[in-house]
Structure formats: C-alpha cells, structure tokens
Amino acid sequence: MTYQQILLQRAGAVARITLNRPDRLNALTRDLLGELVAALDEVAGDRAVRALVLTGAGRAFSAGHDLGDPGTFGGPAETRDVLERCYAPIVRKLAEIELPTLAAVNGVAAGAGCSLALACDLAIAANSASFLQAFARIGLAPDAGSTYFLPRRIGQARALGMTLLAEPLPAPRAAEWGLIWQAVPDAEFPAAIDALAERLAKGPTRALALAKRGLAASPANNLEQQLALEAELQALAAGTADFREGAAAFLEKRPAKFEGH
Ligand code: T3D
C-alpha cells in the first residue's frame, strides 16, 4: 500500500513508521490514523520485521489530533466514533503486536500524540522533546490511552499534575519520572534510536512478545493469576528455537544468535 501522511520504511529487521505532516507538527487526521492502522497490519504480517520504530518528521513527534480535521469534532457522537474507530485500534495494535515497539520522540508529543508514544513498549526522547497532556488547554479530557498509561508509568499524583495543569514535561524529567525509558542529547538521538532498534531486532522476538503480554496483564491480575500466566507464557517461550539457542550459547560461552522464532 502507498501512504500519503506517513512513511513506512524497512532496514533489515527494523520497520520505521514516520508520522509525516511536518508543517502541522504531525497532527493526526482520520486519514493519517487509517494509514497508521494499515501500516501496523503490514508490519505485523511481515515475519522478517522484528522491531518497530514510531517517530515523527520534522521538529515534532506529533501535536495530537488535527484540530482542523473535518468530521472529528462535529459533535459528541462524531468525537466518540473517532476514538473508538480510529484511535483504539491503533493503541490495541501497538500493545498486541508481537514484536518490540520503540517510540523515537524527536520533538513535542502532545495530546493523542503523547498517547501514541506511551502506547509503544519503550520510548526514547531527544532532550529537547517534551510531553504535553494538551487536552485541558482546549477543554477536552485525555484520550487514546493516556489515562491508562500515565498513572501506570508515573503514578496518580504526577499523572494528575500533567493532566490538570497541561504543562509540557521536558524529556529529561520524563525519563527521571519513568514516563519514558531514556532521554538523550539531541546530537546523539538518531544513533541511539538506530542502536536500540537494531538491538531489539536481534532479540528473541517471540520471548519479547510473551514478556510484553505478561507485563501488560500484570496490573489487573493478583499474584496467583500472574503466576499462572507466567507459567503459560514461559511454556511457550521454552518451546522456541531461540530459547534452545540462548541456552546452548550460554553453556558454550558464546553470544547467542537469535532468529526470532
Ligand atoms: O475524537 C477525538 O477525541 C479526537 C482526539 C483528540 C485527542 C487530541 O489529541 S486533542 C489535543 C490536540 N492537540 C492540541 O491541542 C495541541 C495543539 N498544539 C499546540 O498546543 C502547539 O502546537 C504545541 C505545543 C504542540 C507546539 O507549539 P509550537 O509553538 O512549537 O508550534 P505552533 O506554532 O503552535 O504549531 C506549528 C503549526 O502547527 C501551526 O500552524 P501555522 O501557524 O504554522 O499555520 C499550528 O497551528 C499547527 N498545529 C499544531 N498543533 C496542531 C496544529 N494544527 C492542527 N492541529 C493541531 N493539533
């Protein structure tokens, strides 16, 4: 499929989706969101891809939903429909895709743009980037997964502060708070993203996907449920060629060469 508002590129086992409306700070239109769904399906269906990077073109990651997008804010039903039909599938796909996802936050991530960054497994931001729960500024409540991810990552006090005050959180503080994995100097950002994406793509892909499932289920489970889930997931991991390779490599005192199956 050809895309107009995003780019989908592949380098080796790494796929990169770039939100590509730099003149609008990669504000999200319904068309763009439709393309994002299609691109995520394309990536999920490509067995050669073992890590996904989501980033933005130009100076922003994404300024959230395009406030001029016709047909989004026409009324309560329309707004709800956009969330249910456009955003929820993307957030679900990012959570469920069976490979590691990395948000490369090159600049401001605001509103639903912030939500998309948080829906990825790991986020690395350039030091000059920031995270903004912009919703209150325009009289909206948070959406696209923000109320799920924020308190789980940084706790209620900080989630409430970010949401009610709607002030930009600079990337270094976001890392300090545990909202993201790492903030790096701008000059080092592209190389840091490439290195981490490469590293993830060389990992035991199926085990990483199972680990994602276990951690995602954890907040809603009690200890017994989580122990049962771990046994189920580990039984699957133990049946993979990558586990056989990982164990053999350890015993043979050599680096493991995972193939992703
Ligand atoms: O159904 C639903 O509920 C839909 C889902 C909604 C979820 C949401 O995401 S709601 C939140 C929407 N986002 C915002 O409210 C953020 C709006 N943008 C900003 O507050 C600022 O742009 C930033 C703080 C992100 C960056 O500020 P700054 O000063 O670096 O840039 P700027 O000058 O404001 O923006 C540059 C251009 O991008 C500008 O256009 P111009 O003047 O050059 O022609 C600006 O209008 C445009 N732009 C930025 N954000 C959006 C946008 N255009 C449309 N929609 C935007 N969200």
Side-chain angles (χ1 to χ4, degrees):
M1 173 167 174
T2 53
Y3 300 104
Q4 311 300 319
Q5 301 194 11
I6 63 168
L7 301 171
L8 171 59
Q9 295 156 310
R10 289 189 199 112
V14 177
R16 176 183 290 248
I17 296 175
T18 306
L19 308 172
N20 194 27
R21 300 183 70 224
D23 54 326
R24 298 282 94 189
L25 304 188
N26 306 315
L28 307 160
T29 59
R30 284 175 308 153
D31 288 347
L32 185 153
L33 296 167
E35 291 188 6
L36 190 48
V37 168
L40 288 171
D41 285 341
E42 206 176 320
V43 170
D46 185 343
R47 305 275 307 221
V49 174
R50 294 169 60 193
L52 169 66
V53 175
L54 178 64
T55 193
R59 71 179 175 92
F61 178 79
S62 169
H65 200 82
D66 189 317
L67 294 169
D69 189 35
T72 298
F73 298 111
E78 227 169 46
T79 299
R80 182 181 190 135
D81 186 61
V82 170
L83 288 173
E84 290 175 346
R85 281 194 317 107
C86 301
Y87 282 102
I90 292 169
V91 174
R92 265 186 223 113
K93 280 175 198 292
L94 284 170
E96 290 167 8
I97 195 167
E98 293 188 333
L99 44 77
T101 57
L102 172 60
V105 185
N106 50 305
V108 64
C114 182
S115 309
L116 292 188
L118 299 183
C120 293
D121 300 322
L122 297 178
I124 298 193
N127 274 345
S128 63
S130 59
F131 296 82
L132 173 61
Q133 288 293 291
F135 308 95
R137 289 187 176 189
I138 55 166
L140 285 181
D143 59 23
S146 264
T147 57
Y148 180 88
F149 295 113
L150 270 185
R152 282 171 170 76
R153 297 252 177 109
I154 60 176
Q156 285 287 11
R158 285 170 168 167
L160 279 163
M162 276 189 78
T163 304
L164 303 189
L165 301 177
E167 288 170 5
L169 181 72
R173 176 154 298 179
E176 208 180 288
W177 284 8
L179 184 68
I180 61 170
W181 174 243
Q182 200 180 16
V184 297
D186 288 26
E188 295 167 23
F189 178 73
I193 294 300
D194 288 348
L196 192 60
E198 279 289 311
R199 180 174 157 191
L200 290 168
K202 286 185 175 149
T205 313
R206 290 188 59 200
L208 299 185
L210 294 165
K212 273 174 71 159
R213 264 174 65 189
L215 287 169
S218 175
N221 279 348
N222 63 30
L223 179 60
E224 282 311 312
Q225 290 165 324
Q226 201 60 20
L227 289 172
L229 178 63
E230 284 178 357
E232 189 187 314
L233 299 176
Q234 198 67 300
L236 294 171
T240 63
D242 277 345
F243 170 61
R244 289 193 291 282
E245 162 63 8
F250 177 81
L251 294 173
E252 292 161 19
K253 300 191 185 305
R254 61 173 174 81
K257 190 172 179 327
F258 296 120
E259 302 288 351
H261 49 81

